[in-house]
Amino acid sequence: MSRINNIWIIDDDKLYTVLSTKIILKIDPLIQIDSFPQGEAALAELNKTSNLPDIIFLDINMPIMDGWEFLNEYQNIKSKLVKSIQIYAVSSSISSSDIEKSTHYPEIKEYLVKPLKKEKIIELIGNQM
Amino acid sequence: MANISEHSPHNLHIRYANTVFKNALNALLFINDEGKILEANPASCILLERPIDEINNHCLYDLISNEKSKILELFIKSFINGLEKDFILSFYNKKGESKVFSISGSANIDQQLHFIILKDISSNAKTETQLADSEQRLNAIIETGQECIKLLGNEGEILEINAAGLEILEANNEKDVIGKSVFEVLHNKYKDPFKKITAEVFQGQSGRLEYEITGLKGTHHWIEMKAAPLFCKDKKTVIAMLSISQKITERKKAENALLESEKMFTNIFEFSPIPLLISRTHDGKVIMANQGIEKMMGKSKSQIIGEYTSDYYARKEDRELIISEMMHKGEIIGKEIDIKGAGGQIRSMLVSIQFIVLHGENMLLTAFIDITERKQKDKIIESTKNDLASIVNMLPDLLFRFNEENKFIFYHTNDPEKLITSPDLFLGKTPEEVLPQDLAVLVNKKIHQTRASKQLEIFEYSLDHFGETEWFECRMLNTENKEVLAIIRNITPQKQGELAIKESEYKFRSLVKDLTVGVFVQDKNQKIILHNDSALDLLGVDESQLINTISNTNGWEIKHEDGSLFRKEDFPTNKSFESLKPCKNVTIGLLNPLKKDMVWLSVDAIPMIDQEGKLIHIVCTLYDISIKKKAEDALHKSEDNLRTVFQNTEVGYILFDRNRRILSFNENAQLFTQKDLHKNLLEGAYLLDYTAKEREQELILITQKVLQGESIEYDMTIPISEQEKKWFRLKYSPVYNKTQLVSGFVLSIEDITQRKNNELELINSLSLVTEQNERLLNFSYIVSHNLRSHTSNIKMILNLLEDEENEDERKELLESLKSVSELLNETIYNLNDVISIQSNINKILEPIKLNEYINKALEILSKNIKDKNVTIKNNITKEIIIQYNPAYLESIILNFISNAIKYSDPKKEAWIEINVYEENDKTVLLIKDNGIGIDLTKNGDKLFGMYKTFHGNSDARGLGLFISKNQIESMGGHVDVESELNKGTSFKITLG
């Protein structure tokens, strides 16, 4: 497993973004973290940047473009991307309909229920210091 | 080459011939001119009954019995010479059995070679002989003539019978009688005599027997039979009884009738209180005398009978006088004569004498009255005259005597009116001089026959008398002196009765054929004497229960159509019996015990009346009308039911014919039309008369389909008032006739307004419940999601705090914790709002100046408006006042306007327009913007859904709209959204 260098957090909950960033940096301060308050901005960045993330933590419940819509758009541009990105759906929803829905998206590696725990992130990035 | 020759046609032929030769059943022989057998086949051994070595090279003639060998030689020689082709040889074989051979073949098949076929036909010949014998016998029997000829076994079983015999037995063909016993038709009292004669015949004697039978079809016959034994060949054994018989019914009937009348006469004669005696006309010998004579003469009957009346006269000359007077007047009434009475005492007697014919002889009936005391003379004369007349009346109506030359020489009648012409015109004349030609010929013929046979001849004839046909029966008797006595009775009434019976019998028989009609005939005592099978069937009785029963109501519970019981005297036959008039078409019902069902009969009773107006028979016909009756009942019932339904139902019915013309309708239909169409239903009016012009075409189509057998149903509304409308369910159903053709249709009209309203209410309440459920679901989702997002953040903060040693970091985290707890508090507060909306049943309504509230909201949002540079177009005038909950209205206005500001398009000159108007009596608030818009197909469902708030924004989008929507709906209104991406959104808030 190659080293995780770059993580994106797409979430409208600013506090959550700040807190998750802190946790990740505690695990590996070298990881570059970019956060997007909505799907649209992240999508625009994906189309633009050459510095693609290794992992995306994608919130499902967001205004305007939610997680599902982001994924729909992502499916369209996926083939153009030079890197394969591990996408984790992250949500405070424990609704079974959401969990079930996530299985229909092959891009979603795992459905994670908030709060994100340090141990889980360590497991995901797999390069604990 | 060998193979080829083996299969050559020639070789095959030989092989075939060989096979036939060896396997043939007949003897096949090759002989030479001398009859020497050159070769014989195996079958020859069987036919000639000797081994093959005794056949081959032997002479054929020697192999068959000695006495026939010469004949065979002759036959074969003529065969060889081509004179005979085939012949039959019969002979006895060594065992003495009779053998018959048929001999044929082909002569001269080669030089000195002949082919002979011997065929054993002994068994065929035997059968043939037997057949010939029996045929001969049969022919002999049948040739004997018109008489019934039977061969009977010793048990009386019929072995053979001729056509005349079948006719007498009334059998259709031989099969019906062959093997059966004559005892089946023989009347009981003749069974023993018949057995006796059968036994005698089987002992070789002949015999004669008269007996009565009832034919298979029920006709009674008198039969005279001559029986003789039929011997077998040995002339000793009797194998059958040959019975030759003929009908003597007519003769027997006449004899019996005569006997009967004579018997009756004898009885009256015997018991008459007046001394009576009968003497022969020609010599005066006393033939009969009654008890009175015994008393008068002081002698017993046996003494008197055989005496001569001439001896009774006190004076010889009186006898001459009497004879002379009788010859002239034909009778003597009350002549005073002195008679030698008991003990030779002379008594003065009044004598009355009449001619009578008794036992076929001319007689004188003499009545005596002792008038020695000379008292009551005239009275006595009168009474004897009457007595004599009544006695004589027992005897024939007319009496004629023909002399040798067939001339009428004497007549007698007890009623001169019975004479067709006066005595002067026929006495001394021949029949042809007096009678119509046909009758004269008949009479002459019969006189001739009577003389020849010396037996009683009976015949009937008719004469037209004053335009009416009168029937007579004539019995002719040969008397000693070649005179012929004709005793004539007027049988017109009987004949008419007979004819009537014949006619009725004919009718009866023709009715019998018709199985559905039951017939029975009652005699004058109401006894049932005739019936057919249908009658039994219909009445559900067997023959024994019906025949001879006096009353036809016995044992049957007979009912009128209305179910009441028939009185016995009302029964048609009883009625007819009383009135002597036909009683027709009476419907009766009776419980048929066989069918275990009510049988309904149409009964006709028709009396047959004789000329004197007396009843002869009552013919009763029973016609089964059960099916009709049941159908009628069912029809009535169903009609009644239908009518009940038709009239009492809530549904209006209108019946139309094929031309859409009204045939009938019920009250409800009339009510509906009157009330809701303001028209009167009329029979004969057309459907389209009640139809609005614009619907005519549609109705024509509908009814066309219905007339093709479809049923069509639909609901329609009729406006009653501006607010109210009535719902009707209309159904067109085809009406079929008996032949399954659509004869019209029924329109049923049902007022379903109530039902429809209920239905709508139900739908409303259902959607309300569904909506509530959705709201609750949404609410629980929001609770779970919104609360969880805060708590999860709190958890994360706490996790970080645990590990964090840097004091600044810790401070920062604690700060975050504080803001999260505030947000959590806010969320809970908002959720509380939602709950309060859901549970707030008593919404306070207040008159609200709408404009004021809008301005208030704009003031609160002034900073945001300024930041986003949005122009607000408030088109709501000051006067507008609405009834609403003020808290809700404030929240609603704030939420929608802030939402519009939030999603304003920074690339455009943003505006928000606020309008109010009335729609369907409801106030509609329209908030329109030219913002970024919402893709409703994608996001419509989450517009008022479960969005968490935008952190850091004071306006709580998502939950805000959710709350507003709930508030609007809880007040009975609703929100509609129109939006297009990049163009703008408009929220149409119907306040309700």
Side-chain angles (χ1 to χ4, degrees):
Chain A
M1 193 180 186
S2 61
R3 197 193 133 81
I4 301 298
N5 293 315
N6 200 346
I7 293 177
W8 285 8
I9 298 169
I10 306 170
D11 202 308
D12 60 330
D13 186 342
K14 282 180 184 163
L15 180 60
Y16 160 80
T17 311
V18 170
L19 294 170
S20 348
T21 307
K22 280 187 195 281
I23 294 169
I24 296 165
L25 290 176
K26 285 227 170 211
I27 298 162
D28 186 349
L30 295 179
I31 291 175
Q32 187 196 329
I33 299 165
D34 296 295
S35 65
F36 303 86
Q38 340 162 346
E40 276 168 318
L43 205 60
E45 187 62 22
L46 276 178
N47 280 323
K48 220 160 52 177
T49 185
S50 54
N51 191 17
L52 291 170
D54 299 300
I55 290 174
I56 295 176
F57 291 114
L58 176 68
D59 184 22
I60 294 302
N61 296 299
M62 290 182 291
I64 308 185
M65 181 185 269
D66 65 14
W68 308 124
E69 284 163 32
F70 173 86
L71 284 164
N72 292 340
E73 296 295 323
Y74 175 78
Q75 281 170 348
N76 294 334
I77 59 156
K78 199 169 89 176
S79 55
K80 297 179 207 158
L81 303 176
V82 291
K83 201 169 172 182
S84 94
I85 306 167
Q86 295 175 42
I87 300 174
Y88 295 92
V90 187
S91 175
S92 56
S93 166
I94 48 168
S95 153
S96 57
S97 73
D98 283 340
I99 296 166
E100 207 269 332
K101 195 173 176 185
S102 72
T103 60
H104 298 298
Y105 290 90
E107 294 77 19
I108 295 175
K109 216 170 169 201
E110 205 177 330
Y111 185 96
L112 307 173
V113 178
K114 288 180 184 176
L116 271 183
K117 292 213 174 81
K118 194 180 172 185
E119 294 72 26
K120 187 68 193 172
I121 298 169
I122 290 167
E123 187 196 316
L124 292 180
I125 60 178
N127 49 358
Q128 194 186 2
M129 298 295 290
Chain B
M1 289 307 284
N3 278 344
I4 291 162
S5 79
E6 210 174 302
H7 291 93
S8 73
H10 179 70
N11 264 344
L12 277 174
H13 231 109
I14 290 170
R15 275 161 61 183
Y16 174 65
N18 268 329
T19 314
V20 172
F21 190 74
K22 278 179 188 155
N23 296 306
L25 288 168
N26 297 322
L28 307 175
L29 310 164
F30 291 96
I31 60 167
N32 65 10
D33 282 353
E34 278 78 42
K36 186 177 152 188
I37 295 164
L38 302 173
E39 196 179 351
N41 71 342
S44 307
C45 301
I46 299 161
L47 265 85
L48 297 172
E49 296 172 289
R50 55 196 83 215
I52 195 79
D53 55 345
E54 283 184 47
I55 295 170
N56 281 339
N57 295 317
H58 286 73
C59 184
L60 171 64
Y61 315 139
D62 299 332
L63 301 180
I64 292 181
S65 73
N66 290 335
E67 62 269 343
K68 293 280 178 163
S69 66
K70 270 281 161 215
I71 295 166
L72 182 62
E73 195 178 341
L74 274 170
F75 276 148
I76 299 281
K77 288 225 161 115
S78 63
F79 170 75
I80 291 168
N81 294 324
L83 298 172
E84 292 270 4
K85 276 191 173 162
D86 48 39
F87 44 88
I88 305 265
L89 184 76
S90 62
F91 58 94
Y92 288 101
N93 69 0
K94 284 185 284 186
K95 294 175 195 161
E97 294 164 343
S98 154
K99 286 277 172 189
V100 182
F101 281 9
S102 121
I103 301 169
S104 60
S106 305
N108 300 306
I109 55 167
D110 206 338
Q111 214 177 352
Q112 281 242 346
L113 186 64
H114 316 287
F115 177 56
I116 302 281
I117 304 166
L118 297 181
K119 209 179 200 174
D120 188 344
I121 56 164
S122 310
S123 58
N124 298 4
K126 210 160 144 191
T127 321
E128 268 170 21
T129 321
Q130 280 173 340
L131 193 68
D133 285 353
S134 85
E135 254 176 13
Q136 227 169 340
R137 201 167 60 187
L138 207 66
N139 280 338
I141 291 162
I142 288 162
E143 275 163 21
T144 325
Q146 289 293 312
E147 293 162 309
C148 160
I149 297 169
K150 299 189 287 283
L151 277 183
L152 302 176
N154 57 5
E155 300 286 337
E157 70 273 24
I158 298 168
L159 304 173
E160 277 176 32
I161 189 161
N162 69 348
L166 292 177
E167 203 182 310
I168 288 179
L169 293 180
E170 299 179 314
N172 293 329
N173 60 50
E174 286 185 12
K175 279 185 222 155
D176 295 347
V177 290
I178 294 286
K180 292 192 177 151
S181 171
V182 287
F183 289 105
E184 286 180 26
V185 294
L186 194 64
H187 288 198
N188 276 337
K189 59 178 166 179
Y190 301 103
K191 282 185 178 162
D192 284 336
F194 202 97
K195 276 179 193 159
K196 192 175 159 232
I197 198 168
T198 307
E200 283 167 4
V201 167
F202 273 86
Q203 280 161 16
Q205 298 170 25
S206 293
R208 207 179 153 279
L209 184 69
E210 285 183 7
Y211 54 85
E212 290 166 82
I213 63 161
T214 300
L216 296 178
K217 288 173 185 162
T219 315
H220 168 259
H221 295 296
W222 268 97
I223 305 290
E224 178 189 42
M225 174 187 77
K226 284 172 197 147
L230 189 72
F231 292 103
C232 119
K233 267 187 186 170
D234 61 6
K235 308 259 176 194
K236 283 174 197 156
T237 320
V238 178
I239 53 166
M241 176 166 102
L242 179 64
S243 147
I244 301 167
S245 50
Q246 60 178 344
K247 279 196 278 185
I248 51 163
T249 313
E250 296 312 312
R251 193 183 90 200
K252 211 67 193 178
K253 266 187 190 163
E255 281 174 12
N256 283 343
L258 190 63
L259 267 175
E260 198 69 19
S261 84
E262 283 177 356
K263 204 166 145 193
M264 209 169 341
F265 172 79
T266 313
N267 279 338
I268 293 168
F269 176 86
E270 182 61 32
F271 297 108
S272 170
I274 298 164
L276 293 169
L277 72 74
I278 291 169
S279 56
R280 283 206 307 229
T281 320
H282 61 275
D283 57 6
K285 191 175 180 177
V286 176
I287 304 298
M288 282 172 77
N290 71 354
Q291 292 167 346
I293 293 290
E294 283 184 323
K295 227 174 172 182
M296 182 180 105
M297 304 304 279
K299 293 179 201 172
S300 73
K301 245 187 253 179
S302 54
Q303 286 172 302
I304 296 163
I305 289 168
E307 288 180 339
Y308 289 87
T309 50
S310 49
D311 297 337
Y312 297 157
Y313 292 98
R315 289 179 297 277
K316 289 256 179 202
E317 58 272 26
D318 280 353
R319 186 172 176 255
E320 301 303 320
L321 214 73
I322 294 284
I323 291 169
S324 147
E325 204 173 328
M326 279 302 287
M327 292 304 280
H328 285 97
K329 290 191 192 163
E331 65 177 357
I332 287 167
I333 306 287
K335 194 163 184 70
E336 208 178 311
I337 289 173
D338 288 341
I339 298 289
K340 285 187 261 184
Q345 199 183 0
I346 306 291
R347 306 288 298 177
S348 187
M349 298 278 183
L350 269 181
V351 181
S352 298
I353 306 172
Q354 298 250 345
F355 275 116
I356 61 162
V357 177
L358 198 65
H359 309 313
E361 275 191 84
N362 279 358
M363 303 277 180
L364 293 171
L365 170 65
T366 312
F368 300 89
I369 290 156
D370 195 329
I371 50 159
T372 313
E373 280 77 38
R374 296 210 166 241
K375 281 175 190 167
Q376 299 170 313
K377 179 186 166 189
D378 290 340
K379 206 178 167 188
I380 291 165
I381 289 171
E382 194 53 36
S383 79
T384 52
K385 193 181 158 188
N386 288 340
D387 282 353
L388 267 182
S390 69
I391 292 166
V392 168
N393 277 344
M394 290 296 115
L395 283 172
D397 297 327
L398 274 165
L399 199 86
F400 294 106
R401 213 157 69 207
F402 298 95
N403 68 4
E404 253 179 298
E405 293 154 335
N406 291 6
K407 284 182 179 164
F408 288 95
I409 52 162
F410 172 80
Y411 84 97
H412 160 80
T413 180
N414 43 21
D415 178 8
E417 282 182 16
K418 283 183 178 158
L419 286 175
I420 293 167
T421 51
S422 79
D424 312 343
L425 292 174
F426 65 82
L427 281 177
K429 300 204 168 130
T430 57
E432 53 266 47
E433 289 174 292
V434 184
L435 299 171
Q437 202 197 340
D438 294 353
L439 181 58
V441 170
L442 178 70
V443 169
N444 278 333
K445 190 179 144 203
K446 289 290 173 185
I447 292 171
H448 180 72
Q449 278 179 6
T450 310
R451 284 210 186 96
S453 68
K454 297 200 188 299
Q455 278 185 353
L456 179 80
E457 287 287 337
I458 304 165
F459 62 97
E460 287 176 7
Y461 65 90
S462 62
L463 264 181
D464 285 336
H465 189 208
F466 299 117
E468 274 179 35
T469 304
E470 300 242 339
W471 284 90
F472 300 94
E473 181 205 69
C474 176
R475 289 181 228 162
M476 277 191 178
L477 296 158
N478 186 45
T479 60
E480 308 274 304
N481 43 9
K482 291 212 171 169
E483 288 177 352
V484 168
L485 196 69
I487 308 152
I488 292 155
R489 263 202 233 219
N490 190 327
I491 53 163
T492 309
Q494 290 97 308
K495 203 69 190 178
Q496 277 167 344
E498 233 173 76
L499 286 174
I501 290 170
K502 253 185 197 164
E503 201 182 332
S504 76
E505 245 180 32
Y506 172 75
K507 277 185 192 161
F508 179 71
R509 288 196 198 287
S510 63
L511 283 172
V512 165
K513 281 181 202 155
D514 188 351
L515 284 173
T516 56
V517 180
V519 182
F520 64 80
V521 179
Q522 291 180 319
D523 67 6
K524 57 181 189 281
N525 301 316
Q526 282 201 282
K527 241 185 192 177
I528 294 173
I529 52 165
L530 269 176
H531 68 277
N532 69 350
D533 290 345
S534 288
L536 299 178
D537 203 36
L538 292 172
L539 299 170
V541 291
D542 63 34
E543 195 162 337
S544 66
Q545 286 172 281
L546 188 67
I547 208 85
N548 289 336
T549 49
I550 308 262
S551 161
N552 37 41
T553 57
N554 268 355
W556 300 323
E557 197 164 274
I558 295 176
K559 285 179 176 172
H560 283 284
E561 273 179 281
D562 61 10
S564 63
L565 280 179
F566 247 92
R567 288 187 306 157
K568 206 170 162 183
E569 56 267 37
D570 286 344
F571 192 77
T573 52
N574 296 344
K575 252 185 166 169
S576 194
F577 181 74
E578 288 302 323
S579 66
L580 297 183
K581 278 175 189 154
C583 182
K584 289 188 170 186
N585 293 325
V586 180
T587 301
I588 68 161
L590 62 90
L591 197 67
N592 185 313
L594 295 181
K595 294 182 181 165
K596 301 214 184 336
D597 197 5
M598 206 66 183
V599 173
W600 288 97
L601 302 172
S602 174
V603 182
D604 286 0
I606 296 150
M608 311 289 304
I609 312 287
D610 69 11
Q611 271 197 323
E612 291 162 35
K614 281 187 189 152
L615 181 74
I616 309 166
H617 292 127
I618 291 174
V619 178
C620 184
T621 58
L622 311 164
Y623 183 68
D624 188 353
I625 53 163
S626 306
I627 292 165
K628 197 178 123 205
K629 180 88 174 122
K630 271 174 196 159
E632 271 175 14
D633 284 352
L635 189 67
H636 282 153
K637 217 175 193 176
S638 77
E639 262 182 9
D640 285 350
N641 287 344
L642 210 65
R643 187 155 296 124
T644 316
V645 171
F646 205 60
Q647 291 303 351
N648 294 316
T649 170
E650 292 295 313
V651 182
Y653 287 105
I654 310 174
L655 185 64
F656 293 90
D657 68 7
R658 284 196 68 92
N659 300 319
R660 304 179 180 86
R661 209 164 20 189
I662 297 172
L663 293 173
S664 71
F665 50 85
N666 68 354
E667 259 175 64
N668 274 332
Q670 181 68 280
L671 282 176
F672 287 148
T673 347
Q674 284 174 342
K675 215 169 138 195
D676 303 321
L677 293 176
H678 311 293
K679 278 182 185 171
N680 263 324
L681 277 180
L682 288 171
E683 280 176 16
Y686 289 87
L687 171 66
L688 296 182
D689 298 344
Y690 301 90
T691 313
K693 271 266 175 263
E694 61 270 22
R695 289 201 61 232
E696 273 184 5
Q697 217 43 47
E698 186 193 343
L699 266 177
I700 287 168
L701 279 173
I702 287 172
T703 46
Q704 266 171 3
K705 281 184 191 168
V706 173
L707 288 171
Q708 282 160 13
E710 258 183 67
S711 281
I712 293 176
E713 195 173 343
Y714 58 88
D715 294 347
M716 65 175 283
T717 54
I718 294 173
I720 298 302
S721 66
E722 279 179 34
Q723 288 90 24
E724 229 188 317
K725 58 185 174 183
K726 263 194 168 175
W727 281 92
F728 288 101
R729 175 153 296 169
L730 283 90
K731 187 176 180 182
Y732 293 86
S733 317
V735 173
Y736 292 92
N737 64 8
K738 273 189 290 189
T739 50
Q740 294 304 307
L741 294 170
V742 179
S743 60
F745 57 90
V746 173
L747 167 61
S748 65
I749 310 160
E750 199 179 348
D751 185 343
I752 53 160
T753 312
Q754 190 60 40
R755 204 196 300 170
K756 209 74 189 180
N757 287 343
N758 291 345
E759 224 171 79
L760 289 174
E761 226 165 78
L762 194 71
I763 288 169
N764 282 344
S765 71
L766 189 72
S767 69
L768 204 73
V769 169
T770 316
E771 226 170 78
Q772 282 297 10
N773 274 344
E774 240 166 63
R775 249 183 262 159
L776 279 171
L777 213 84
N778 262 333
F779 180 69
S780 69
Y781 200 93
I782 286 159
V783 169
S784 124
H785 183 266
N786 289 21
L787 294 179
R788 274 190 59 81
S789 57
H790 297 305
T791 51
S792 68
N793 281 346
I794 291 166
K795 239 182 179 172
M796 282 168 85
I797 293 165
L798 291 173
N799 277 342
L800 283 167
L801 270 174
E802 275 172 22
D803 295 348
E804 194 56 65
E805 281 146 26
N806 183 320
E807 205 49 43
D808 289 345
E809 281 292 324
R810 284 182 71 93
K811 245 184 197 165
E812 200 185 320
L813 284 170
L814 282 172
E815 209 50 45
S816 298
L817 197 58
K818 199 177 150 193
S819 77
V820 171
S821 63
E822 270 165 21
L823 284 170
L824 184 59
N825 191 44
E826 189 192 335
T827 304
I828 289 170
Y829 178 82
N830 281 331
L831 290 176
N832 196 44
D833 262 3
V834 177
I835 293 164
S836 72
I837 296 161
Q838 310 277 3
S839 60
N840 193 357
I841 297 155
N842 303 313
K843 284 123 198 163
I844 308 133
L845 291 180
E846 280 175 27
I848 295 164
K849 287 182 177 168
L850 191 56
N851 188 39
E852 269 182 26
Y853 270 71
I854 289 170
N855 286 334
K856 209 165 146 190
L858 291 175
E859 209 183 303
I860 296 167
L861 295 166
S862 57
K863 190 180 174 286
N864 307 59
I865 293 166
K866 212 177 169 185
D867 287 353
K868 292 264 183 178
N869 196 20
V870 181
T871 315
I872 306 290
K873 296 179 201 169
N874 181 5
N875 297 330
I876 291 162
T877 54
K878 286 179 184 172
E879 317 84 71
I880 291 173
I881 293 167
I882 56 165
Q883 292 285 334
Y884 216 74
N885 182 304
Y888 282 9
L889 190 65
E890 195 183 333
S891 153
I892 290 163
I893 291 167
L894 196 65
N895 273 327
F896 281 100
I897 294 174
S898 70
N899 184 68
I901 295 163
K902 174 81 200 156
Y903 292 98
S904 61
D905 192 342
K907 288 171 255 169
K908 292 185 234 169
E909 266 188 44
W911 53 258
I912 297 168
E913 193 179 320
I914 306 156
N915 284 301
V916 73
Y917 59 91
E918 295 275 306
E919 193 183 86
N920 295 330
D921 299 322
K922 285 177 180 174
T923 309
V924 176
L925 189 64
L926 193 70
I927 298 167
K928 207 171 166 184
D929 64 54
N930 65 343
I932 55 171
I934 308 156
D935 186 348
L936 290 172
T937 48
K938 273 187 182 175
N939 300 319
D941 58 330
K942 36 184 186 185
L943 195 56
F944 301 104
M946 46 179 193
Y947 290 95
K948 58 196 170 196
T949 54
F950 286 98
H951 301 288
N953 283 346
S954 58
D955 51 348
R957 196 249 178 200
L959 195 59
L961 282 190
F962 177 77
I963 290 164
S964 294
K965 187 174 184 269
N966 273 283
Q967 288 169 333
I968 293 160
E969 283 170 1
S970 75
M971 298 293 291
H974 57 269
V975 187
D976 299 298
V977 195
E978 274 174 40
S979 186
E980 209 175 321
L981 272 176
N982 302 320
K983 289 220 170 139
T985 307
S986 74
F987 287 97
K988 183 185 168 193
I989 303 148
T990 307
L991 293 173

